[in-house]
Each structure stands twice: as C-alpha cells, then as structure tokens.
Amino acid sequence: MTAFVLALLAGGLVGLALGSLGAGGSILAVPALIYLLGFSPTEATTAGLIIVIATSLTALLAHARAGTVHWRAGLLFAAAGLPPAAAAALLSTHIPSAVLTLAFAALAVLAGLRMLRRRTPSESATASAPRAAGAGAALGAVTGFLGVGGGFLAVPALVAALAVPMSAAVGTSLLVIIANALVALAARASTEVSLDWALIMPFVATAVLGAWDGKRLSRKVSPATLQRAFGTLLLAVAVTMGIGALV
C-alpha cells in the first residue's frame, strides 16, 4: 500500500474521531504520521499542528453557525496559553526523539483513560481567573510541545475554570486549540523541520471530510460506545509508541 493511500486512510480516521467525539482526533494523527508515513517525531508533531488547525477550523465554523462558541471566554483562555505554546514548540525541536515519543505515549494513555471513564465535567463550578490562566497555560504547552489540540483537556478546563456550559465547551475549545496551534506552528517555522506536503495535504483533506462523516456517525452510535472504541485504540497506540521508544 502506497504512502499516499495510507495518508488518505489515516486522515479519514482522525477526522472520524474528531467529528464524532469533538476531541481525540489529533492525538491519533502524530502516531499515524510516525508509524504509517515514516515521519520523525519532530516532523510528525509539526505536521500535527497543521492537521489540528485545518480540522479544528472546519469544526469551529460549524459550531459558530450553531451559536455554540463563547468567543470572549475562548480568547481569554487562549491568551494564557500562547506564550507557553510558542516556548514549548521551540523546546520540542531540541528534545531527543525517544523522549518526545514517550511523552506523547503518556499523553495518549491519559486521553484513552479519560475516554474509557466517560465522565462528564461538572457545570457547578464558577469562573476563576487563576484556574483559567493555569489551565490555559498548560494546554498551550501541551499543544506546542506535542503538536496535538488537547480537546480532551480543554473541554473540562473551560467548564471548570470559566464556567462555560457543556453545550458550548466543545465549540469554544476549538477556538483555543486553533490559537495555540497557530502560535506553536509559527514558532516552529523558524526551525529547520522538513515536511512532506505530498502526504500532509491528502491527510488533511480526508481528515476534514472524515469529520463530517463523524458527525453523522455520532447520531447513529451512542457516545459511550464511540468513546470506548477510541479510548481502547488510544491505549493500544500508547503501548506501541512506548515499546518502540524503549526498544
């Protein structure tokens, strides 16, 4: 199977996860780029930012039309994450591949366990500026360092720190993710990271299309079933990456 076809298939899977769950798609992109398409961890995390921006922007437009984006809360949350996103993006290009892979595997374990637990964030919290600043900075650092959107972290953080209702948390998290990813990508632009656009572009195209199919899938399959399936997949990916980095 050619790399081009693999890019199409991997992009479709990433989009399917993003469209059906509103999170978790980008965290599948980096291992797909490494193990299916032969990218180095640094190249994969940089390409991951491009994929995050494209897919999240598509989803954000749909949420904006539905009126489920809290723009002010999202921009305030994102502002705290921009400096850490830029700093972490620059730092990651100097980290050994094995360490970067292990860090990503740990994040995939966290994401997989959160999906398997299927806990809905409580909406009883009140807005807190210190909590919002801390959570925003942490999310920015994760996005910049590992090239993922971190929607599974952003949604509960927005609910807990800024009292954003769950009905608007996913749409608002996309705004935060895009802002962080843009800054991280701009920071990495100054480093010498080569990207294979012939594989990235078909990956992005099918990811965007897959996101629309994911929305339709979410109406036919229960959220709990989807979360279990993707959570199990993430744990398997994490184990594979961890073993690969240590061997």
Side-chain angles (χ1 to χ4, degrees):
M1 190 179 295
T2 67
F4 180 81
V5 175
L6 286 173
L8 292 174
L9 294 175
L13 178 61
V14 167
L16 198 66
L18 180 67
S20 59
L21 298 174
S26 62
I27 206 169
L28 292 173
V30 172
L33 289 166
I34 294 173
Y35 295 105
L36 294 181
L37 302 179
F39 284 52
S40 71
T42 300
E43 291 168 348
T45 52
T46 303
L49 291 169
I50 297 169
I51 295 163
V52 164
I53 292 167
T55 53
S56 297
L57 181 59
T58 302
L60 176 64
L61 293 174
H63 280 277
R65 285 197 295 269
T68 54
V69 179
H70 282 204
W71 296 96
R72 183 174 181 275
L75 290 172
L76 288 173
F77 193 87
L82 299 184
L90 290 173
L91 175 64
S92 69
T93 60
H94 301 288
I95 298 297
S97 294
V99 175
L100 201 59
T101 301
L102 285 173
F104 195 96
L107 183 68
V109 168
L110 176 61
L113 291 176
R114 287 189 71 94
M115 286 187 178
L116 291 175
R117 290 170 66 187
R118 307 188 307 277
R119 295 180 65 180
T120 301
S122 171
E123 297 189 31
S124 61
T126 56
S128 167
R131 282 204 308 269
L139 181 64
V142 168
T143 299
F145 192 71
L146 296 176
V148 300
F152 72 99
L153 295 172
V155 171
L158 284 165
V159 173
L162 288 176
V164 175
M166 271 302 298
S167 58
V170 171
T172 307
S173 74
L174 292 168
L175 174 62
V176 178
I177 289 165
I178 291 169
N180 286 335
L182 282 171
V183 169
L185 186 61
R188 292 192 184 208
S190 63
T191 64
E192 296 181 2
V193 178
S194 60
L195 297 177
D196 189 344
W197 290 99
L199 295 179
I200 293 174
M201 294 311 294
F203 196 117
V204 169
T206 52
V208 171
L209 293 175
W212 294 105
D213 290 332
K215 289 181 181 179
R216 288 193 289 270
L217 179 66
S218 66
R219 291 193 289 266
K220 297 178 181 179
V221 182
S222 71
T225 299
L226 288 171
Q227 287 193 0
R228 281 196 298 270
F230 282 109
T232 301
L233 177 59
L234 279 175
L235 290 178
V237 167
V239 171
T240 301
M241 294 184 76
I243 292 174
L246 294 172
V247 172

